[in-house]
Amino acid sequence: MVTQEDVIELAKRRGFFFGANGAYGGVAGFYTYGPNGAAVKDNLESAWRDRFTVRQGNMEIEAPTIMPEAVFEASGHLDGFDDMLVECPECGESHRADHLIEDNTGIEEAESLPVSEVEMIIRDHDLRCPTCDAPLGGEPVEDFNLMFETSIGPGSGQPGYMRPETAQGIFVEFPRLKEYARNRLPFGVTQIGPAYRNEISPRKGIIRVREFTQAELETFIDPEEDEPPLHEVADVEVTLYPADEQEDEEGSAYATTVGEAVEEGVIGSEWVGYYLGVAQEWYERVGVDMDRFRFRQHLPGELAHYAADCWDAESEVGGDWIEITGFAYRGDYDLQKHAAHSGEDFDVFVAYDDPVTVERATVDPDMSVLGPAFGGAAGDVADALRDLVERDPDAFRNAKAAGEPVTVTVDGEDYDVALETANFGVEEVTESGESVTPHVVEPSFGVGRIVYTVLAHAMDRDEVDGEERTVLRLPPGVAPTTVGVFPLMDKDGLAEHARTVAADLRAAGLAVTYDDSGAIGRRYRRQDEVGTPYCVTVDYDTLEDDTVTVRDRDSTEQRRVAVDDLVATLARLRAGDLAFEDV
Ligand code: GAP
């Protein structure tokens, strides 16, 4: 079995990713993508953009990564974006309390437990500091806010925070974005970019880091009217691990289809179900092994402060399940909060198919009566009457039926007003639509964790010509290099010829590595190890008939292809329009 250590070792040795700032000793939680990793990440982001922005007809934006404090007061991150921290009394090392529990007891999803229970479990299981082995029982467990704080501008400046999710950059711009969408629901806005979290204990390579890339889609819907095109993915087979199965000792993940799971109410929202189906197909295309993949529902105590229902896409690497994407039904939480805090209009006016006539209760307070009766409070009493008729018109209807005045409260004092003075009436009005606060459905992908999964699932060891090789079976569209070009020998004009072939392939937009050092078998192995799907060798026959050999990474089979056909053949292979056996 390929272990997490194997992946991390290969990643470092072959330039996929490695701890950043090594020259200065490095700081935990920050990683640099090397040339091969940056290329894989870029290919995955392009594939994501193609599926979730272009093919969905969504809009992509790029918002700042530092945002003012007011944004996170409104979003709830200042108050609620915490992890549980326990500090070692001996060595001072900080640890995530829920992870300590998960790693050392049979308890899963400890994040959903209350702090008091976490403290009790640490004490009862005699959990110890992973660094120095000192007992942690009796130590306080505290909530630690994960946002990086900064100061905007010189001097004491204005407090700002590095965004902990790209989503907030979309939500705060909603008043403008709805205009670009011509005020028509549903519409989706995507963003790919960095997010920052001051993780208590970053770990396992790029899985839990302090700076990472998210690819997020916020879909704004009218909850009463808009339905997703569920039929497009109803037959997609998925492995689900619902909350009740997790809570049942005998429970397990099981295979079903998106359509069945939505129909049976296992997936509570059609929109979430739709995105699980779209994502499942996308993961498969970019190289996630579907036998090591599942969708897990959040347990009730695990739900984020904004989420009504949430599923995680999880991949298995080295025996561990890693959350790679969150799918959340966020309701109108975000837009309501930003509307309330900013005073801006985060609603969308939804036009009815046909105008409707409705009865509307009205008041028109008679100030010539209210003034003498209530003096300085008369204006406020009139406002209170207008407010009441909007909020609770039945208060007037009931007062009328009882033949009594209506009562309003201003600054804690009750005022009785006769209905004739309030001028209560009912009129018929024609309405062409209504204001709706859209609900949000959000698939939120962690790009680094997908890079990691795709590398781990692609990594394999087999034997070629009696020699063990490490091979990354990456899909051609994800591999950092599409083709390696080699001259058989560095003499007799073969190298010049091979350089021309490489230049022509590059000019056609293919990612090419040129390699003329060492035995040809070693050159193949080097490319196999970084996932290059095809290698082209220029040999003595090339000089005779202008053909080259094309070698397939996975089968190691070779075909001769005319140099004139090479660009088209490789481009079709990369796009998946041609299978190697048909070359
Ligand atoms: N806007 C919703 C949101 O941010 P999340 O579940 O907190 O939801 C989404 O994050 C994804 O971002 C996760 O599924 C994961 O892939 C990635 N992610 C979160 N924290 C991360 C970290 N510290 N390091 C690497 N990736 C992370």
Side-chain angles (χ1 to χ4, degrees):
M1 184 175 75
V2 170
T3 63
Q4 301 207 16
E5 288 69 31
D6 293 333
V7 180
I8 291 170
E9 187 279 325
L10 179 75
K12 191 170 173 182
R13 188 164 47 78
R14 298 309 312 270
F16 285 97
F17 56 82
F18 49 88
N21 308 304
Y24 291 92
V27 180
F30 295 95
Y31 271 76
T32 293
Y33 287 91
N36 284 320
V40 170
K41 181 168 176 280
D42 195 45
N43 288 337
L44 286 172
E45 287 172 7
S46 298
W48 191 89
R49 179 174 286 114
D50 175 64
R51 187 64 191 90
F52 290 93
T53 306
V54 179
R55 285 173 201 261
Q56 295 289 121
N58 292 328
M59 306 185 275
E60 180 173 354
I61 67 161
E62 190 178 315
T65 56
I66 296 177
M67 304 175 85
E69 187 167 52
V71 169
F72 299 111
E73 264 165 15
S75 70
H77 284 87
L78 264 185
D79 274 347
F81 198 58
D82 304 323
D83 275 343
M84 285 181 275
L85 177 148
V86 59
E87 201 174 289
C88 173
E90 290 297 322
C91 69
E93 192 81 18
S94 298
H95 304 288
R96 243 185 94 163
D98 51 327
H99 286 171
L100 277 180
I101 291 175
E102 287 163 15
D103 292 349
N104 297 290
T105 71
I107 300 167
E108 289 176 13
E109 309 305 337
E111 193 184 0
S112 58
L113 302 173
V115 165
S116 55
E117 201 173 329
V118 167
E119 286 176 339
M120 203 171 69
I121 296 170
I122 291 179
R123 198 183 51 237
D124 293 353
H125 284 78
D126 188 23
L127 298 186
R128 290 168 172 267
C129 171
T131 314
C132 73
D133 204 39
L136 295 171
E139 293 305 313
V141 171
E142 282 165 15
D143 283 331
F144 174 77
N145 193 288
L146 295 185
M147 284 198 295
F148 280 104
E149 191 176 357
T150 185
S151 171
I152 304 171
S156 55
Q158 182 191 351
Y161 293 85
M162 314 292 286
R163 66 181 180 199
E165 55 173 1
T166 62
Q168 293 305 322
I170 297 175
F171 297 141
V172 295
E173 307 304 355
F174 186 78
R176 202 171 280 277
L177 294 171
K178 70 179 180 184
E179 302 292 331
Y180 300 145
R182 298 200 316 285
N183 281 296
R184 297 239 175 93
L185 295 173
F187 69 89
V189 182
T190 63
Q191 182 164 212
I192 302 176
Y196 303 85
R197 296 183 189 177
N198 198 4
E199 297 287 351
I200 294 170
S201 39
R203 57 182 189 170
K204 291 187 180 157
I206 54 175
I207 294 178
R208 185 169 299 284
V209 281
R210 289 175 167 144
E211 176 177 344
F212 53 97
T213 302
Q214 288 187 320
E216 298 200 295
L217 160 59
E218 310 303 327
T219 313
F220 299 100
I221 62 165
D222 177 346
E224 301 294 323
E225 293 292 328
D226 296 331
E227 289 174 3
L230 193 63
H231 62 276
E232 289 176 10
V233 296
D235 294 335
V236 172
E237 289 177 9
V238 284
T239 302
L240 299 186
Y241 195 18
D244 55 357
E245 292 288 332
Q246 296 166 57
E247 284 166 338
D248 178 353
E249 269 185 25
E250 311 276 285
S252 62
Y254 59 83
T256 180
T257 62
V258 169
E260 268 170 29
V262 170
E263 203 176 305
E264 287 165 9
V266 177
I267 301 172
S269 146
E270 287 196 358
W271 279 97
V272 170
Y274 169 67
Y275 283 126
L276 296 192
V278 174
Q280 164 93 18
E281 291 186 325
W282 183 81
Y283 284 123
E284 196 163 1
R285 206 168 315 132
V286 298
V288 175
D289 178 352
M290 287 300 137
D291 291 335
R292 300 161 72 188
F293 178 84
R294 69 184 182 192
F295 291 110
R296 188 185 67 78
Q297 190 175 30
H298 278 206
L299 296 170
E302 200 188 338
L303 285 173
H305 58 273
Y306 48 73
D309 187 21
C310 194
W311 290 76
D312 286 342
E314 294 187 332
S315 65
E316 181 276 328
V317 178
D320 284 348
W321 286 96
I322 302 163
E323 175 203 331
I324 56 177
T325 301
F327 299 81
Y329 191 94
R330 296 178 75 128
D332 61 3
Y333 175 88
D334 305 277
L335 299 188
Q336 289 283 13
K337 288 281 178 190
H338 285 302
H341 281 72
S342 69
E344 293 285 317
D345 181 9
F346 282 71
D347 285 352
V348 170
F349 185 78
V350 177
Y352 298 137
D353 292 339
D354 296 305
V356 292
T357 303
V358 291
E359 284 192 341
R360 195 167 62 198
T362 59
V363 290
D364 184 12
D366 184 345
M367 296 308 288
S368 68
V369 179
L370 291 184
F374 303 131
D380 289 341
V381 171
D383 284 345
L385 288 167
R386 291 188 195 99
D387 181 50
L388 184 64
V389 83
E390 287 250 316
R391 256 189 310 113
D392 184 14
D394 283 346
F396 290 85
R397 291 196 183 97
N398 295 341
K400 191 174 178 182
E404 290 175 357
V406 72
T407 305
V408 290
T409 309
V410 172
D411 291 337
E413 200 172 316
D414 287 345
Y415 295 87
D416 291 336
V417 181
L419 287 184
E420 306 78 62
T421 306
N423 269 322
F424 171 67
V426 175
E427 63 181 19
E428 285 203 337
V429 287
T430 303
E431 289 181 348
S432 57
E434 63 181 332
S435 277
V436 170
T437 308
H439 283 206
V440 173
V441 192
E442 176 198 66
S444 169
F445 292 64
V447 178
R449 291 187 186 180
I450 300 171
V451 170
Y452 184 83
T453 298
V454 164
L455 291 180
H457 288 189
M459 195 170 167
D460 192 14
R461 293 198 180 95
D462 63 3
E463 206 173 277
V464 174
D465 300 333
E467 242 188 73
E468 187 180 272
R469 74 164 175 167
T470 299
V471 55
L472 281 187
R473 301 188 193 280
L474 293 169
V478 172
T481 301
T482 305
V483 53
V485 176
F486 318 143
L488 184 65
M489 307 276 198
D490 191 6
K491 60 181 185 181
D492 302 327
L494 293 181
E496 288 71 22
H497 218 94
R499 278 201 194 91
T500 307
V501 168
D504 289 347
L505 295 176
R506 283 194 186 113
L510 293 169
V512 177
T513 295
Y514 177 85
D515 187 359
D516 58 10
S517 65
I520 199 85
R522 290 192 69 79
R523 285 185 255 169
Y524 283 144
R525 298 295 166 276
R526 281 203 284 270
Q527 294 307 313
D528 290 342
E529 210 178 36
V530 294
T532 307
Y534 309 108
C535 289
V536 166
T537 304
V538 170
D539 55 20
Y540 287 100
D541 286 347
T542 314
L543 304 180
E544 299 290 318
D545 60 8
D546 222 19
T547 63
V548 290
T549 61
V550 179
R551 181 244 194 202
D552 176 51
R553 174 197 66 204
D554 294 342
S555 63
T556 72
E557 278 181 23
Q558 304 193 11
R559 298 275 195 278
R560 281 209 86 81
V561 175
V563 170
D564 282 349
D565 295 338
L566 198 55
V567 165
T569 304
L570 289 168
R572 289 181 63 205
L573 284 168
R574 184 182 192 274
D577 296 339
L578 178 68
F580 189 79
E581 49 274 23
D582 298 328
V583 170

